[in-house]
Amino acid sequence: MNSGEFRRRGKEMVDFVADYLEGIEGRQVYPDVEPGYLRPLIPTSAPEEPDTFEDILNDVEKIIMPGAASPACTELETVMMDWLGKMLKLPEAFLAGQVGEGGGVIQGSASEATLMALLAARTKVVRRLQAASPGLTQGAIMEKLVAYSSDQAHSSVERAGLIGGVKLKVIPSDGKFAMRASALQEVLERDKAEGLIPFFLVATLGTTSCCSFDNLLEVGPICNEENMWLHIDAAYAGSSFICPEFRHLLNGVEFADSFNFNPHKWLLVNFDCSAMWVKKRTDLIGAFKLDPLYLKHSHQDSGLITDYRHWQLPLGRRFRSLKMWFVFRMYGVKGLQTYIRKHVRLAREFECLVRQDPRFEICAEVTLGLVCFRLKGSNKLNEDLLERINSAKKIHLVPCHLRDKFVLRFAICSRSVELTHVQQSWEHIRQLTTDLLRAQRD
Ligand code: PLP
């Protein structure tokens, strides 16, 4: 949607809301619809080609409005998470469908999803061990629980461990910054010998620093053998899995208990929208279910409805699935794939430009839209270059450390980025580099 159309549609939307408010007395306070009313009214998967804005808005009146106050919010979310799961070719077990044991929920952030998974895993292991040895206290078990991630995992994983009150151990990644079986097994053997209880592992697909990928096909089976909950954090990279050529990066998801990525990072859905699936929704619901009288409702125990308050920290929730519904229909799957592919292509263009300049080196494999690069030379030299780049305020780069190296990160992330922006950025970086090296010589 270009800015002209956005202006027009935005104004129409204000009219839509104003009409709704003016006519609100003519609407029912409590809906007539039965649980499950929405799923048969919309297609079973996202459209390949874009729908028109008019069609979508008509459907809001026809399909959403009858579900006032507000089963529509829950039901659209369940179906949108199935649509998105199908776009990623997630195993059937993660989808809610009409009879499945899995399902998706929209969380606010990847950090929340990791925390929810860790807390659910913690409850599950405590219950299992107490069932086997009724004398064991929760405190005695908690003391021995250990969670794991690679040394490249996002800091939110460590935070989940802190909030969840369990130890978190870091598995050293390999030369490509990936978690591998051998390193994991070594730590597990040592911890078990010390009487610790491994119960949870976060594998990252698309790490924050350099977009590396833990080896799911290796660590997944180990988690299953050891009865550890496997959570996959694909916060950024997950969006790319809608493209068949990147879907192999998700191979091994079948070993996971939960999987999460942020459509708000790279799938054109506005913040916030973090998509989380679990293979067995009872694992989440069972961990956090409380039912005070003021939250009881008529279909509560029918098993017919999803009650998302049991899947998340907050009670109240936004109607975030509307954003997904609009975006998936306005772009179609093909439009979203085109968007991802363009960013990856531009990252590769940038990589080529860097490789043509012998003063620079590429520091990690470029798989998606992130290029890690640096000037050959000291960390100080690269820190000085970054300082010049960010002080000039034409582009903004966020650095990282890869092992002991200070590295610059060029991330393609704007909706409107074009090849000329990438070329201009590179020219700018080259010019600042020349200035820096000259200043050092003088
Ligand atoms: N996990 C990874 C791999 C990330 O790159 C990030 C953020 O950049 C996060 C988690 C945290 O995401 P959120 O802000 O959704 O909690």
Side-chain angles (χ1 to χ4, degrees):
M1 189 182 277
N2 60 31
S3 58
E5 196 186 353
F6 180 64
R7 252 179 240 284
R8 188 159 61 84
R9 297 302 185 189
K11 286 170 188 163
E12 284 170 18
M13 194 52 98
V14 170
D15 283 339
F16 185 90
V17 175
D19 288 347
Y20 172 80
L21 292 174
E22 271 174 12
I24 201 157
E25 288 185 13
R27 292 187 186 257
Q28 262 182 224
V29 173
Y30 200 79
D32 288 327
V33 297
E34 289 298 313
Y37 87 96
L38 187 140
R39 193 180 278 275
L41 300 180
I42 65 178
T44 51
S45 48
E48 286 293 310
E49 307 285 347
D51 282 344
T52 65
F53 193 76
E54 283 80 7
D55 282 349
I56 305 173
L57 218 51
N58 287 338
D59 281 349
V60 171
E61 188 54 52
K62 226 170 54 205
I63 296 170
I64 304 299
M65 289 305 180
S70 181
C73 175
T74 298
E75 297 208 3
L76 188 66
E77 181 160 335
T78 308
V79 180
M80 282 308 103
M81 290 300 290
D82 276 3
W83 275 23
L84 184 55
K86 286 180 193 171
M87 282 158 69
L88 302 172
K89 305 245 176 317
L90 275 187
E92 196 71 29
F94 287 96
L95 307 184
Q98 271 151 346
V99 289
E101 284 185 56
V105 57
I106 307 175
Q107 305 279 3
S109 65
S111 308
E112 276 168 77
T114 302
L115 177 62
M116 289 302 293
L118 180 136
L119 295 178
R122 193 186 76 178
T123 305
K124 194 174 177 183
V125 68
V126 167
R127 286 186 186 156
R128 191 180 75 228
L129 296 177
Q130 283 185 325
S133 315
L136 268 180
T137 63
Q138 174 160 346
I141 297 170
M142 289 264 298
E143 252 176 32
K144 297 194 168 161
L145 293 182
V146 197
Y148 302 87
S149 72
S150 98
D151 55 14
Q152 300 298 312
H154 189 262
S155 59
S156 53
V157 179
E158 190 178 346
R159 250 177 122 222
L162 286 175
I163 299 169
V166 294
K167 284 183 252 323
L168 179 90
K169 293 211 177 181
V170 163
I171 310 295
S173 55
D174 72 359
K176 289 186 159 182
F177 308 102
M179 187 186 338
R180 305 291 305 272
S182 51
L184 173 63
Q185 240 143 5
E186 205 180 306
V187 177
L188 285 179
E189 291 315 317
R190 207 169 50 225
D191 286 353
K192 285 192 294 180
E194 285 176 16
L196 297 174
I197 307 169
F199 81 106
F200 182 69
L201 183 139
V202 178
T204 311
L205 298 182
T207 57
T208 314
S209 294
C210 68
C211 200
S212 60
F213 291 78
D214 287 339
N215 192 322
L216 267 190
L217 289 168
E218 286 186 7
V219 301
I222 298 176
C223 291
N224 289 182
E225 277 156 32
E226 299 286 342
N227 227 338
M228 293 162 67
W229 181 299
L230 171 60
H231 176 71
I232 299 175
D233 173 9
Y236 158 72
S239 299
S240 72
F241 306 153
I242 66 165
C243 298
E245 67 271 33
F246 301 123
R247 172 57 179 79
H248 68 96
L249 296 167
L250 186 59
N251 287 352
V253 65
E254 57 276 13
F255 298 109
D257 296 279
S258 51
F259 165 71
N260 174 257
F261 83 99
N262 287 351
H264 70 230
K265 274 203 197 303
W266 200 17
L267 209 58
L268 290 161
V269 180
N270 280 347
F271 189 82
D272 56 0
C273 180
S274 188
M276 178 189 194
W277 288 265
V278 283
K279 217 186 246 166
K280 254 184 117 184
R281 53 181 182 255
T282 48
D283 284 342
L284 267 190
I285 300 165
F288 311 116
K289 197 166 181 188
L290 287 179
D291 278 323
L293 181 58
Y294 47 82
L295 294 176
K296 285 200 188 301
H297 50 79
S298 45
H299 295 288
Q300 173 136 320
D301 299 316
S302 64
L304 291 172
I305 62 162
T306 300
D307 211 338
Y308 277 126
R309 71 187 149 107
H310 303 306
W311 298 52
Q312 61 178 24
L313 294 181
L315 169 66
R317 43 204 340 269
R318 293 182 283 284
F319 203 154
R320 288 179 288 212
S321 56
L322 269 182
K323 294 187 289 196
M324 294 167 89
W325 200 37
F326 271 69
V327 168
F328 297 164
R329 295 183 64 183
M330 289 191 64
Y331 283 85
V333 177
K334 284 188 182 162
L336 294 170
Q337 289 171 335
T338 302
Y339 177 70
I340 297 280
R341 285 175 180 141
K342 179 177 175 185
H343 279 199
V344 177
R345 206 172 52 245
L346 291 180
R348 302 235 164 102
E349 292 280 352
F350 185 82
E351 180 192 9
C352 280
L353 292 170
V354 176
R355 285 194 190 281
Q356 283 162 25
D357 188 326
R359 296 174 298 178
F360 286 90
E361 59 186 348
I362 294 288
C363 307
E365 196 173 326
V366 178
T367 311
L368 299 175
L370 178 70
V371 183
C372 287
F373 70 109
R374 73 194 297 278
L375 267 173
K376 291 172 186 164
S378 69
N379 283 349
K380 173 74 174 56
L381 184 66
N382 283 281
E383 284 163 19
D384 288 349
L385 176 59
L386 182 72
E387 166 65 25
R388 282 181 182 241
I389 292 170
N390 284 342
S391 307
K393 299 194 174 142
K394 283 191 172 176
I395 59 173
H396 184 75
L397 301 190
V398 176
C400 72
H401 276 118
L402 289 178
R403 308 279 180 248
D404 54 351
K405 283 188 174 170
F406 185 88
V407 169
L408 310 187
R409 294 161 67 258
F410 189 85
I412 307 281
C413 49
S414 165
R415 190 178 62 86
S416 54
V417 64
E418 296 293 343
L419 179 59
T420 50
H421 302 127
V422 172
Q423 289 167 334
Q424 282 162 12
S425 301
W426 177 240
E427 269 320 302
H428 179 56
I429 293 170
R430 269 165 56 91
Q431 186 57 54
L432 292 174
T433 301
T434 303
D435 295 347
L436 171 68
L437 295 177
R438 188 177 301 129
Q440 291 209 326
R441 270 199 311 272
D442 294 344

